Amino acid sequence: MVKKTLMIEGMHCASCSGNVEKSLKSVKGVKSAKASLLFKKADIEAEEDVNLEEVKKAVSKLGYRVAGIK
Amino acid sequence: MNMEGMNMEKQESKRDTGGHDHSKMESDEILDWKRKLWGSWVFVIPIAILMILEKFEMMLFDEKITTLLILILGFPVIFFFGWHTVKYGLKGIFTFFFGMDSLISLGTVVAYLTGIASLFGGIADYSGVASMIMAIFITGKYVEAKARGRATKEIMKLLELGAKKARIVRGKEEIEIDINDLKIGDIMIVKPGEKIPTDGVVINGESSVDESMVNGESMPVDKLKGSNVIGATLNQDGILYIKATKVGSDTFLAHIIQLVEEAQGTKVPIQKLADKITAIFVPSILVLAVLTFAGWWMYSGNIGSALGIAVSVLVIACPCALGLAVPIALTVGSGMGAKRGILIRKGEAIQTMKEVKIVAFDKTGTITKGKPEVTDIYSKVKENYLFEVAASLERLSEHPIAKAIVNRAALKRYKEVKNFKILRGRGLEGSIGKSKFVVGNHTLMNERKIQVDYFREKIDEYEGLGKTTMIVSENGKAIGIIAVADAVRDDSLMALASLRRKGYKTVMITGDNERTARAIASQVGIDEVVANVLPEQKAGKIEELQKQGMVAFVGDGINDAPALKQANVGIAMGSGTDIAIEAGDIVLARSSLIGVVQAISLSKATFSKIKQNLFWAFAYNVVAIPIAVAGLLYPVFAEIAMALSSVSVVTNANLLRRKKI
């Protein structure tokens, strides 16, 4: 299991963060996702071999920008 | 041009402080909305004038030309300043990831299209309305972004607290390095008024240090050789040479930040309902808008007004207020806590706290300081003399009681001791000058046949209060007694009195014997005492108490972990640097029971704010949506109401700050 934090730009309402969570959870290997509108980030827990590009895509396909992963 | 100037300034200030992504992002967002706000109103004000004139039938131009003008003026408002919203909103509709953008963009685009359609014939023109809605939406977002910035203020401050640079000694030189290059063992030089770069121990120099960031306490703490210091606290008046003991993510500040950040990810149970509703809210409103349109069209036969009403429904619904209601209040609450050294780790604790009826405490290290102190002396000889000989002997022992006596005596010079011997479990002996001294407990005095009758009454009195008595004898005669006890923390009494006043039942759970436990309990005013409890039984005792009601347990973290977990709310006393991160739902950075009282009132205040917010957000939608469906609301007013509702939720959360904790 790895924990990652995505810094996300562009979320500006509660349904945005809800959508980000939903979309992140649908990525293969992602076990949990919590998006915070206030802190402009999402924390995920995922399998070791999760494809971070897929994770990024899950956010960007909704129109938000991933400013960084740590 | 102006914009560029502002960006430059921001770049500069970023370099100055070393900058933190968070604050920069926050202000970037506000700036962005501000730019859109001005831009959109520049176009919307002439539109409004045209619309008002049209209403009063004071036509400057032909009707078609007016419509055309409004369409031209409105285009940049919706498709340039509002482009971000429109793009994501429409994308959301096609990908089934609906957001509030979807509602606004659908509402404005449909309304705008009515303007174009009206050029070709008999349909009501809502294009002016479309631009106004977008401008009001942007204005609301700007105000909300600003208020959100205020809500996260304390937490952001915490993140920016760390020092950016450190001045260290390399060889014989003083050099300044980046905080990230600092290593364990580096000697840092901290001048008056500077922040201590990282956790360490003082190896030279004396000063007082403002540790309010750690414990909310305003009094500076004196630091001298051997004192531990915490990174990011403020050196006041002397130069300190400090050896770094922890760096990077191991420091106290890093731990606190981690705690607070993790807490933002946890959810208050009451939020689940709001989350569920938010998830289905937007699609439901889309369906409702379509039904409203269809219903009104069939009923009135007027496609134009049916569209207007449907647009009202789209733009009045506000998922934002619902979704923000809980997290925003939690953020303000935990920020207020962090400022006072109260770290809320789990949002759930806030909700549970209001049900708590019983507050149980560990004794040692929680109600008491956890280390013995001299409390009383009774002596046949001069007090100074008694301490002089006792401390000179006890200095050679490592026992906590010995340390208490040495600390109290605080001698500058010690007498030379010969023939020193530790008598395990009983005391010690040794010679000073020509006299032979024996210091120890009752058993030891009996062994040596030393008479203690003169002190009998006092010994019984002290021991009755749960104190340990050491008898000092010189050449076979008892000369004085020193009573030692684990002293009660200064503010335990006040904190417990305040809890009782608020109607909580207080219980003390301790491994200590009944007598000591009762003595302490009556000193601070505790309702119930459970003594002789083995560490592994503590959780079981909590479970028993839980039959009477919800229990909050206060313990000092490390050995109390199972009890902290068992309790409905676990409050861990994290003493200074060795915070036990995993132990509690709430962690107190300052080791004072006043923190418990504050944590309870903060939790309650935060939760009632959460409930208020949820109530208003629900009530708003429940009232406003039917009014819009009934066609009683002009779309522009619908959008104003919507903007106000999400702003009011955030503002209301910020009002939590007014509450005295």
Side-chain angles (χ1 to χ4, degrees):
Chain A
M1 270 313 204
V2 286
K3 279 185 181 177
K4 293 273 174 203
T5 300
L6 313 170
M7 309 306 292
I8 300 174
E9 285 172 13
M11 291 192 291
H12 61 80
C13 76
S15 32
C16 301
S17 49
N19 282 338
V20 168
E21 276 179 17
K22 203 163 77 180
S23 179
L24 282 172
K25 279 184 198 155
S26 69
V27 176
K28 193 169 155 275
V30 175
K31 291 280 167 236
S32 77
K34 273 172 186 158
S36 162
L37 166 65
L38 292 169
F39 293 90
K40 301 183 172 42
K41 61 168 196 174
D43 295 318
I44 59 166
E45 273 185 329
E47 310 273 5
E48 302 285 343
D49 61 348
V50 67
N51 184 343
L52 286 178
E53 282 311 305
E54 290 292 315
V55 171
K56 270 192 188 172
K57 223 184 267 167
V59 177
S60 58
K61 79 169 183 205
L62 305 181
Y64 312 112
R65 209 176 78 80
V66 177
I69 299 186
K70 57 181 182 184
Chain B
M1 191 57 223
N2 196 10
M3 263 305 294
E4 272 176 35
M6 278 162 110
N7 268 334
M8 284 293 288
E9 260 176 51
K10 275 168 51 60
Q11 288 295 324
E12 286 297 337
S13 70
K14 190 193 167 200
R15 215 168 296 142
D16 270 359
T17 58
H20 202 288
D21 308 320
H22 288 276
S23 69
K24 187 179 158 288
M25 264 165 55
E26 189 60 55
S27 49
D28 267 8
E29 191 196 350
I30 296 174
L31 226 63
D32 188 40
W33 285 118
K34 193 173 177 180
R35 186 174 59 89
K36 289 177 179 165
L37 182 150
W38 286 113
S40 54
W41 282 105
V42 164
F43 292 95
V44 167
I45 289 169
I47 291 176
I49 295 171
L50 284 174
M51 282 169 67
I52 290 164
L53 292 178
E54 200 175 21
K55 191 122 199 141
F56 293 107
E57 296 184 353
M58 290 160 51
M59 306 291 267
L60 289 182
F61 316 101
D62 163 42
E63 193 176 336
K64 283 232 159 111
I65 292 184
T66 309
T67 307
L68 202 59
L69 265 175
I70 289 176
L71 279 171
I72 291 167
L73 286 167
F75 187 82
V77 177
I78 295 169
F79 298 101
F80 179 69
F81 299 112
W83 179 236
H84 182 95
T85 308
V86 169
K87 189 175 81 182
Y88 297 144
L90 296 182
K91 209 170 171 178
I93 292 172
F94 295 122
T95 53
F96 290 97
F97 280 101
F98 307 107
M100 79 170 305
D101 284 345
S102 313
L103 299 177
I104 297 297
S105 53
L106 197 63
T108 50
V109 171
V110 167
Y112 188 82
L113 293 179
T114 61
I116 297 175
S118 75
L119 291 177
F120 303 102
I123 184 171
D125 168 19
Y126 283 102
S127 57
V129 169
S131 320
M132 280 184 162
I133 288 173
M134 187 55 87
I136 295 164
F137 172 74
I138 289 169
T139 310
K141 278 286 153 193
Y142 166 70
V143 177
E144 188 198 307
K146 274 189 89 158
R148 263 195 275 135
R150 268 202 304 283
T152 51
K153 188 175 68 182
E154 280 105 353
I155 291 177
M156 292 304 175
K157 240 176 161 172
L158 194 67
L159 300 178
E160 286 160 27
L161 213 51
K164 312 287 181 255
K165 302 250 181 230
R167 198 180 300 110
I168 63 163
V169 186
R170 276 274 158 85
K172 279 192 177 158
E173 262 178 295
E174 260 182 43
I175 55 165
E176 201 175 71
I177 58 167
D178 195 84
I179 191 79
N180 297 319
D181 299 330
L182 197 64
K183 287 185 202 66
I184 290 175
D186 280 340
I187 309 296
M188 308 176 281
I189 305 163
V190 187
K191 296 189 171 152
E194 286 182 346
K195 265 183 197 168
I196 293 170
T198 196
D199 298 359
V201 56
V202 177
I203 55 162
N204 208 347
E206 279 180 21
S207 182
S208 53
V209 172
D210 176 357
E211 295 193 332
S212 56
M213 141 245 156
V214 179
N215 52 25
E217 191 94 71
S218 51
M219 278 292 287
V221 184
D222 289 332
K223 299 288 179 187
L224 31 109
K225 197 177 163 183
S227 307
N228 286 318
V229 292
I230 298 168
T233 56
L234 203 61
N235 183 22
Q236 304 282 60
D237 44 16
I239 295 187
L240 289 173
Y241 289 79
I242 298 164
K243 190 159 100 180
T245 52
K246 282 176 187 162
V247 294
S249 60
D250 295 328
T251 63
F252 180 70
L253 181 65
H255 281 172
I256 294 212
I257 290 174
Q258 194 197 340
L259 273 184
V260 173
E261 280 197 330
E262 276 176 7
Q264 302 307 320
T266 68
K267 286 196 168 161
V268 187
I270 199 174
Q271 190 180 352
K272 282 194 189 128
L273 178 65
D275 280 353
K276 268 188 198 145
I277 294 175
T278 315
I280 55 156
F281 191 84
V282 176
S284 315
I285 294 299
L286 289 173
V287 172
L288 188 65
V290 171
L291 292 177
T292 305
F293 170 70
W296 276 100
W297 188 15
M298 282 193 295
Y299 173 74
S300 67
N302 184 340
I303 190 169
S305 69
L307 260 178
I309 294 167
V311 167
S312 285
V313 173
L314 284 175
V315 301
I316 201 164
C318 184
C320 218
L322 264 179
L324 263 178
V326 181
I328 195 95
L330 182 60
T331 299
V332 175
S334 53
M336 286 169 69
K339 208 167 129 191
R340 292 165 175 80
I342 301 161
L343 309 169
I344 296 167
R345 285 195 55 219
K346 303 223 170 81
E348 203 181 333
I350 282 182
Q351 184 164 351
T352 317
M353 193 64 100
K354 73 172 190 350
E355 310 287 343
V356 165
K357 299 277 180 291
I358 303 164
V359 187
F361 297 87
D362 161 56
K363 182 181 75 79
T364 314
T366 302
I367 293 178
T368 66
K369 289 179 184 162
K371 45 176 202 220
E373 277 179 13
V374 172
T375 54
D376 307 83
I377 62 158
Y378 189 72
S379 176
K380 272 188 195 169
V381 296
K382 276 212 175 105
E383 210 172 279
N384 282 348
Y385 178 71
L386 187 74
F387 271 127
E388 198 175 33
V389 293
S392 295
L393 286 156
E394 298 283 5
R395 184 171 71 104
L396 306 168
S397 160
E398 283 296 313
H399 197 277
I401 291 181
K403 282 197 176 139
I405 293 175
V406 173
N407 285 341
R408 168 64 186 271
L411 294 185
K412 288 237 156 56
R413 299 188 55 181
Y414 294 91
K415 297 268 186 194
E416 201 193 334
V417 177
K418 284 183 184 142
N419 307 322
F420 178 77
K421 212 165 137 193
I422 288 180
L423 309 161
R424 197 156 299 283
R426 291 161 296 166
L428 40 78
E429 63 179 353
S431 309
I432 296 174
K434 284 183 183 137
S435 298
K436 189 169 184 287
F437 291 92
V438 178
V439 184
N441 61 16
H442 236 140
T443 326
L444 183 60
M445 298 302 136
N446 281 342
E447 257 175 48
R448 299 295 164 95
K449 308 230 166 1
I450 295 166
Q451 281 292 331
V452 292
D453 289 350
Y454 179 80
F455 297 106
R456 171 61 53 210
E457 209 173 294
K458 279 286 164 191
I459 292 174
D460 287 346
E461 181 193 324
Y462 295 154
E463 300 207 327
L465 292 171
K467 295 170 183 174
T468 308
T469 324
M470 303 302 285
I471 302 148
V472 184
S473 74
E474 183 175 4
N475 297 326
K477 286 200 176 72
I479 58 169
I481 56 173
I482 300 173
V484 174
D486 183 4
V488 167
R489 285 186 194 280
D490 298 331
D491 34 24
S492 290
L493 182 66
M494 205 162 87
L496 282 160
S498 154
L499 286 179
R500 290 175 67 166
R501 217 171 28 244
K502 289 182 176 148
Y504 291 99
K505 180 177 176 181
T506 53
V507 180
M508 181 166 89
I509 300 176
T510 178
D512 229 328
N513 64 60
E514 189 85 28
R515 191 162 70 165
T516 312
R518 292 227 172 268
I520 299 278
S522 67
Q523 215 177 324
V524 294
I526 284 227
D527 297 325
E528 197 179 311
V529 177
V530 189
N532 297 316
V533 181
L534 296 174
E536 60 270 24
Q537 296 172 337
K538 270 189 187 170
K541 293 286 168 197
I542 300 284
E543 216 178 331
E544 274 171 41
L545 284 174
Q546 280 169 330
K547 285 174 195 152
Q548 299 170 38
M550 292 246 199
V551 177
F553 178 72
V554 189
D556 56 355
I558 304 122
N559 55 346
D560 291 325
L564 287 166
K565 286 246 148 59
Q566 171 66 38
N568 301 90
V569 180
I571 303 178
M573 309 269 278
S575 31
T577 39
D578 40 24
I579 247 183
I581 298 233
E582 284 307 317
D585 304 315
I586 296 177
V587 177
L588 304 178
R590 175 169 42 142
S591 289
S592 155
L593 291 189
I594 294 293
V596 175
V597 181
Q598 288 178 322
I600 291 176
S601 51
L602 178 67
S603 302
K604 283 185 158 177
T606 307
F607 190 68
S608 78
K609 197 50 90 179
I610 285 174
K611 276 201 301 195
Q612 254 176 41
N613 262 355
L614 274 179
F615 172 79
W616 286 114
F618 270 116
Y620 165 79
N621 281 302
V622 166
V623 173
I625 294 170
I627 294 178
V629 172
L632 299 172
L633 214 53
Y634 190 63
V636 172
F637 295 115
E639 180 54 30
I640 291 174
M642 185 325 251
L644 284 179
S645 88
S646 70
V647 167
S648 69
V649 161
V650 182
T651 310
N652 187 36
N654 275 319
L655 284 181
L656 182 57
R657 250 177 263 279
R658 294 222 182 137
K659 170 97 187 160
K660 257 193 93 180
I661 300 296

